[in-house]
Amino acid sequence: MRAFAEKAGWKINGCDEKSVREFCNEVGIERGVLKVWMHNNKYSLLNGKIREIEHGLCLNTHSNDGDGSSSS
């Protein structure tokens, strides 16, 4: 469902209705269930990605510590 939501831009109304119906039939859920799931999970999943990116940036920033170079 996450992959479909990302492909749809996390908006069920802006997505092609045919693809929404096909996806719901494949998964075995109603359109309303997909809409609620997308609404409930959009920010929690996006926030998780942001935290992953920030964590990666922190690791990259600290990976240069102790390499013998000085900034002065």
Side-chain angles (χ1 to χ4, degrees):
M1 286 184 17
R2 179 179 176 176
F4 181 83
E6 288 176 346
K7 183 175 137 184
W10 292 94
K11 295 179 183 177
I12 198 168
N13 292 334
C15 190
D16 175 35
E17 190 60 34
K18 182 181 176 187
S19 61
V20 172
R21 274 195 313 267
E22 288 176 357
F23 176 78
C24 289
N25 285 335
E26 280 180 28
V27 179
I29 60 173
E30 295 179 7
R31 183 183 188 277
V33 173
L34 176 62
K35 185 174 182 177
V36 169
W37 185 90
M38 288 172 76
H39 174 78
N40 288 342
N41 289 281
K42 178 179 183 177
Y43 293 106
S44 63
L45 293 173
L46 291 176
N47 285 338
K49 281 189 172 186
I50 291 170
R51 281 192 295 272
E52 288 175 15
I53 291 168
E54 289 174 344
H55 182 69
L57 290 175
C58 288
L59 290 176
N60 290 339
T61 302
H62 296 300
S63 66
N64 292 333
D65 291 348
D67 66 353
S69 65
S70 68
S71 59
S72 49

